[in-house]
Amino acid sequence: MSLTIAIDGPVGAGKSTVADEVARRLGILHLDTGAMYRALGLTAIQLGVDLQDEEAVTRLCDGTEVSVLHSAEGQRTLVGGKDVTPFIRTQEVSMAASTVSRYAGVRKRMVAIQQQLAEGTDMVLDGRDICTTVLPRATAKIYLTASDEERARRRWEELKKRGAEESFEQVLEEVRQRDQQDMNRPVEPLRQAPDAALVDTTELNFDESVAAILRIVGEKRHG
Ligand code: DC
C-alpha cells in the first residue's frame, strides 16, 4: 500500500508550504492541486473566456492540457507543455481559480488527473477536496486551518515579499471572499472530512505545524 497524505483547508492556512516540508521529510512527492485550478484560471483570463460561463470554462478545461513536473525546486505547473508557474500566484488568478473550480466538469477532469498522478505513488496532496473526493482512502487525512486574520496576515506578508501592494484589509477581504466561494459551491465544497484530523495553526509556527502533521502521519502508519 502506498503512503498518501491528504491535506485540505481554507485559503492561506499554509497547506502548500507545510505539505512541501512534510513531503521532503518523508522523502516523497508533493502535489499542490490548487496550482492546477490556478493554471486553468490563468488560461481563461489570457484567452478572454468569461469565468462566469460554466459551459465555456468547461469546454476550455476539456481542451486544455494541465500537467505538473516535479523538479528539485518543487512543482512546476504546465499548460500545453508551457511552464506557467511564475504567473499563477497573483490575486486575480487566485479568484479566477476559485471561480473555475465551482464547475462540476472542471472538477471531474482535475480530480481524474490528480488520482492518476497519485495512483500507486507515495505522495502528499493538498487542496480543498483531497480527503473527501480525491483520496478518500488516504493513509492520513488532515484539515489544516487558522483564524481568518492570521491566514490573511501570512498571505499579506507573502504578497509583500513578492512586491505586491495590497493592504492588509484588502487581503483579508480576498481571503474571506474566496473561502465563502470555496465553502458554498454546489460541487465538492470545502469542508472538514469527518475522519480528518483538525490542525489549527493560529498559534503554531511553521516547524510546529510540520511536526503536528508528521505526528498524525506516524500514528496512522504505526498505530
Ligand atoms: O490552494 P489554492 O489557494 O492554490 O487554490 C486555488 C483555488 O483552487 C481555491 O480557491 C479553490 C480551488 N481548489 C479546489 O477547488 N480544489 C482543490 N483541490 C484545490 C484548489
Side-chain angles (χ1 to χ4, degrees):
M1 262 275 280
S2 50
L3 169 66
T4 45
I5 300 163
I7 305 179
D8 288 323
V11 174
K15 295 184 302 290
S16 202
T17 42
V18 168
D20 232 23
E21 181 60 15
V22 168
R24 200 186 64 78
R25 298 264 196 104
L26 295 170
I28 65 180
L29 292 177
H30 164 219
L31 178 64
D32 169 0
T33 63
M36 300 173 64
Y37 292 94
R38 286 171 180 272
L40 180 64
L42 172 74
T43 307
I45 294 170
Q46 286 173 336
L47 297 179
V49 173
D50 178 2
L51 298 174
Q52 303 301 328
D53 184 340
E54 175 166 1
E55 215 182 296
V57 172
T58 306
R59 211 175 318 119
L60 174 69
C61 180
D62 287 339
T64 304
E65 189 214 343
V66 176
S67 56
V68 300
L69 273 183
H70 287 99
S71 72
E73 299 88 50
Q75 174 174 320
R76 312 300 298 179
T77 308
L78 285 72
V79 172
K82 184 174 164 280
D83 189 354
V84 296
T85 313
F87 315 115
I88 59 174
R89 296 286 152 198
T90 64
Q91 295 286 75
E92 187 190 14
V93 173
S94 299
M95 245 358 253
S98 174
T99 302
V100 300
S101 75
R102 286 172 12 212
Y103 305 134
V106 168
R107 303 206 66 81
K108 195 166 168 228
R109 185 166 154 87
M110 293 297 184
V111 168
I113 300 171
Q114 292 154 15
Q115 288 176 331
Q116 214 173 359
L117 289 167
E119 174 78 44
T121 309
D122 292 342
M123 205 179 253
V124 182
L125 280 82
D126 84 273
R128 302 290 188 292
D129 60 341
I130 311 300
C131 301
T132 47
T133 307
V134 180
L135 295 176
R137 292 157 62 87
T139 316
K141 296 184 180 182
I142 289 125
Y143 189 81
L144 194 73
T145 190
S147 70
D148 295 6
E149 286 77 11
E150 179 58 19
R151 292 187 288 115
R153 193 192 60 75
R154 291 177 195 167
R155 221 180 136 59
W156 182 55
E157 299 284 348
E158 192 189 307
L159 287 167
K160 262 201 305 191
K161 253 188 256 163
R162 277 194 263 124
E165 285 172 0
E166 279 93 350
S167 67
F168 173 77
E169 286 69 26
Q170 277 172 310
V171 176
L172 179 61
E173 179 53 31
E174 188 263 347
V175 163
R176 288 185 170 150
Q177 210 183 328
R178 197 141 67 89
D179 280 350
Q180 168 75 11
Q181 180 155 281
D182 295 344
M183 289 170 172
N184 292 296
R185 65 181 177 220
V187 200
E188 292 151 15
L190 168 66
R191 61 188 166 84
Q192 182 183 349
D195 53 351
L198 178 71
V199 176
D200 186 327
T201 68
T202 309
E203 306 286 335
L204 302 184
N205 65 26
F206 180 72
D207 290 338
E208 291 166 336
S209 306
V210 171
I213 292 179
L214 288 172
R215 207 173 312 120
I216 294 164
V217 173
E219 281 164 14
K220 290 286 175 191
R221 286 176 92 183
H222 310 296

